[in-house]
Amino acid sequence: MMMNFHRFHDSWVEKLNKFTSQLASTPTPRPNSTSDHQHVRQLVDEVVAHYAHYYETKTTAAKTDVLTLFASPWASSLERSLYWVTGFRPTTLFHLVYTESSIRFESHVADILRGRRTGDLGELTPGQLARVSELQCLTVKEENDIGNELGGWQEEVARSEPEWSGLCGNGPDGLDRLLARLGAVVAKADELRMKTIRQVVELLTPQQAAEFLIAAAELQLGIQRWGLHQDRARVVEIKDVDTL
């Protein structure tokens, strides 16, 4: 099952890269063109559905082998070091919105002062910023709740340690129950990740949502590329030492 998920993960990332290129090459919607905005919105919806497919498949995989999800052999060492409950921390998305908004605002502040509008992430309205802040606070609370649940699971594992020795008595049943509970924690974390993506996209215009999804994918893909590069360099270094 996990070998299948490994292949799925690789093909999913490849398709995400194609979606990102497609979004980036799409012309900026003309202010008064409904068809332009509808086209961008359609692409945005396809990317959001792509993320939803990933988390649905991952939830199914967690029911059969949740421990491999924590090991994540398909990810680089760098990616795994950044993981929170087998994936990115949902609140990362809010930091991304703030960062992208700031960068874009600074890049065309002169145009804004002249009254020229771009409609991009650099022009978030006060209402949008208030909603981002509100969602961030709610998401932090949900992250903390999931973290506490994971901590409770770890404490139960520690209390169940005698049952693990030789897996005798009620050991196997206890192990299955613990793994099922861990899988449920992962499912909650993935549900929060997906919900956060949807909430951020919903409060943005089609153009802003496209820019947000491009930035999120580029961050994910960039970390993956850099992490794989570092892992390969480490392997070469180890081989060089072994030949001495």
Side-chain angles (χ1 to χ4, degrees):
M1 180 66 183
M2 275 303 160
M3 182 58 68
N4 291 337
F5 183 79
H6 194 159
R7 288 194 291 267
F8 165 77
H9 175 273
D10 291 346
S11 65
W12 184 89
V13 169
E14 183 179 349
K15 191 169 182 179
L16 177 64
N17 197 11
K18 292 179 180 178
F19 269 129
T20 305
S21 298
Q22 190 175 3
L23 278 174
S25 62
T26 301
T28 300
R30 290 166 293 181
N32 298 319
S33 175
T34 302
S35 61
D36 284 0
H37 286 277
Q38 288 178 338
H39 175 64
V40 175
R41 175 58 70 185
Q42 181 180 353
L43 290 176
V44 166
D45 289 344
E46 289 177 3
V47 176
V48 171
H50 188 54
Y51 277 105
H53 180 46
Y54 176 81
Y55 289 120
E56 289 167 1
T57 305
K58 186 169 171 232
T59 296
T60 300
K63 294 177 181 178
T64 60
D65 189 0
V66 66
L67 296 181
T68 300
L69 287 178
F70 276 88
S72 301
W74 45 82
S76 65
S77 299
L78 175 60
E79 289 174 281
R80 288 191 291 271
S81 74
L82 297 172
Y83 278 174
W84 171 82
V85 197
T86 75
F88 70 84
R89 186 178 287 273
T91 46
T92 301
L93 297 179
F94 300 108
H95 298 301
L96 188 63
V97 170
Y98 290 131
T99 300
E100 285 296 308
S101 178
S102 177
I103 291 174
R104 291 175 184 274
F105 176 81
E106 292 177 2
S107 69
H108 55 252
V109 64
D111 290 334
I112 293 175
L113 292 175
R114 295 190 185 98
R116 298 173 185 169
R117 319 306 294 181
T118 63
D120 63 11
L121 280 172
E123 295 184 3
L124 292 177
T125 66
Q128 286 177 311
L129 289 171
R131 182 58 178 155
V132 170
S133 179
E134 177 187 357
L135 288 174
Q136 183 177 14
C137 292
L138 294 172
T139 305
V140 167
K141 182 182 181 304
E142 292 189 69
E143 280 186 356
N144 290 339
D145 290 343
I146 293 172
N148 291 336
E149 192 168 346
L150 180 59
W153 179 86
Q154 292 169 332
E155 291 175 1
E156 183 176 356
V157 170
R159 290 194 301 270
S160 305
E161 188 275 334
E163 296 182 10
W164 291 66
S165 181
L167 291 180
C168 58
N170 294 324
D173 292 338
L175 176 59
D176 289 343
R177 180 179 57 79
L178 284 169
L179 293 180
R181 181 179 169 188
L182 181 60
V185 175
V186 172
K188 285 185 179 181
D190 285 340
E191 182 181 350
L192 180 58
R193 279 184 269 264
M194 191 63 232
K195 182 173 75 170
T196 305
I197 291 173
R198 292 188 190 279
Q199 288 175 328
V200 172
V201 166
E202 287 171 0
L203 68 86
L204 301 174
T205 67
Q207 179 186 345
Q208 292 169 341
E211 292 168 350
F212 161 72
L213 290 173
I214 291 170
E218 287 180 342
L219 177 62
Q220 179 179 349
L221 296 170
I223 290 174
Q224 182 193 53
R225 284 192 293 268
W226 178 245
L228 290 174
H229 172 76
Q230 292 294 98
D231 285 350
R232 293 191 189 106
R234 193 176 300 110
V235 170
V236 172
E237 183 178 342
I238 292 174
K239 289 182 177 179
D240 290 342
V241 172
D242 289 342
T243 58
L244 295 178

